[in-house]
Amino acid sequence: MTSTLSVAEAIRSRRTVRHYLPDPLPPAVLSELLALAVEAPTSWNLQDRSIVVVDTPEGRDGLTWATGGQPQPQEAPLVLVFVAEPEAWRADHDDVYEQARRNQAWNEEFITMFSAASQSFQEGLQGRGLLREYAVKDAMIAATYVMLAATEMGLATSPMNGWDEAKVKKVIGIDDRDDLAIALLVSIGYPAEERRHPGRRPIGRNVFHHRYGGALEPAVMG
C-alpha cells in the first residue's frame, strides 16, 4: 500500500466527515487499517481494548438507533466500535510475554518484574476506581491511530459521541457484560462532502510552560 501523506500531513488534513459514499472499503485496506490500530500503545501492554467492525445493514441500523439517528452509521460502509476492557489485567498474559521473548524485546528478568509490577499497579487502580478510565484511554489511543491511518489512505472518519452505551452494547452483543465499556465509535468510508478546517486557537492559548497558564517562550510559539 503506497503512502501518500506523512504523519504530520495526516494530522493537519484530517477532518470529521458525517456524510459518505456507499462504496465499501477493499478488504486489504480494512485489514491494514485494523493492523495499524492494534499497534497503538496500551498501559503495561495489557492490550485492554477490542474493536468491533460493524458493516452489515442490520448492525449499522442498530448503531443509528444507538446514536440517536446520526447519519454516519447509515451512510458509511462501516463503523468501528472501540471497546474498553477494564478487567483485562486479570486474564492470562503468557502470550504477550512469549511474543516479547520471540521479539527479543523483554528478557526473563524483565518479564518477572513487569508481571508483578503490572498486577500491583492494576490493584492500585482498582482501589481508586480507575480501571475503566485507564482502559478507555487505551481504546481512545487506538481510535486515534485509526483516524490518522484512514486519512493517510484517503478515507474519511468521524469520531462519534452522543451515543447510548447500553444500546451500543446491545447492538454488538455485549449487553450482558458489565465488565466491558464503550470508548468510542468511529465511522469510516469515502467522503461525500468536503469539510474545511475550521481553525484552531494559537498554540499559546492552549499550551503552557511548566505550569498551567505559564506562557511559552516566543520561539516555541512561532
Side-chain angles (χ1 to χ4, degrees):
M1 188 173 300
T2 303
S3 176
T4 57
L5 295 176
S6 68
V7 174
E9 288 169 336
I11 289 172
R12 290 191 169 101
S13 62
R14 190 214 64 82
R15 301 272 69 80
T16 293
V17 170
R18 291 170 58 84
H19 298 288
Y20 297 83
L21 300 174
D23 309 40
L25 271 63
V29 171
L30 177 57
S31 293
E32 176 68 357
L33 197 60
L34 296 173
L36 292 171
V38 299
E39 286 290 338
T42 67
S43 178
W44 297 93
N45 200 27
L46 287 176
Q47 302 174 51
D48 52 347
R49 73 288 183 267
S50 295
I51 305 169
V52 178
V53 181
V54 180
D55 59 0
T56 65
E58 296 79 12
R60 293 188 292 115
D61 283 346
L63 291 182
T64 299
W65 164 68
T67 59
Q70 294 185 53
Q72 295 95 311
Q74 278 295 300
E75 297 186 19
L78 64 90
V79 177
L80 302 184
V81 180
F82 289 81
V83 180
E85 303 175 351
E87 300 297 323
W89 64 283
R90 302 182 191 277
D92 184 353
H93 287 84
D94 283 348
D95 63 317
V96 174
Y97 302 143
E98 180 55 34
Q99 189 173 46
R101 289 187 188 98
R102 289 198 306 270
N103 292 341
Q104 298 182 349
W106 299 348
N107 61 28
E108 293 303 322
E109 181 181 3
F110 181 86
I111 288 172
T112 299
M113 177 279 297
F114 189 86
S115 177
S118 172
Q119 291 296 302
S120 177
F121 183 81
Q122 298 301 318
E123 289 168 1
L125 292 182
Q126 181 183 31
R128 290 178 287 152
L130 294 176
L131 287 172
R132 176 186 172 114
E133 178 179 328
Y134 268 65
V136 167
K137 288 175 183 176
D138 285 348
M140 295 291 286
I141 296 171
T144 299
Y145 268 46
V146 160
M147 289 187 285
L148 294 180
T151 301
E152 188 270 335
M153 296 175 183
L155 298 167
T157 60
S158 175
M160 298 182 63
N161 212 334
W163 33 263
D164 183 298
E165 181 170 53
K167 291 180 178 179
V168 174
K169 292 175 82 171
K170 184 176 180 62
V171 171
I172 63 172
I174 58 170
D175 45 319
D176 60 342
R177 297 288 301 274
D178 292 336
D179 59 316
L180 301 176
I182 304 301
L184 193 69
L185 277 61
V186 178
S187 58
I188 301 178
Y190 295 98
E193 62 176 345
E194 180 181 355
R195 298 297 298 274
R196 295 184 179 277
H197 196 327
R200 295 291 188 267
R201 287 169 167 165
I203 189 171
R205 173 64 174 77
N206 298 109
V207 183
F208 307 116
H209 192 216
H210 290 303
R211 291 177 176 272
Y212 187 89
L216 285 176
E217 295 295 328
V220 176
M221 294 175 62

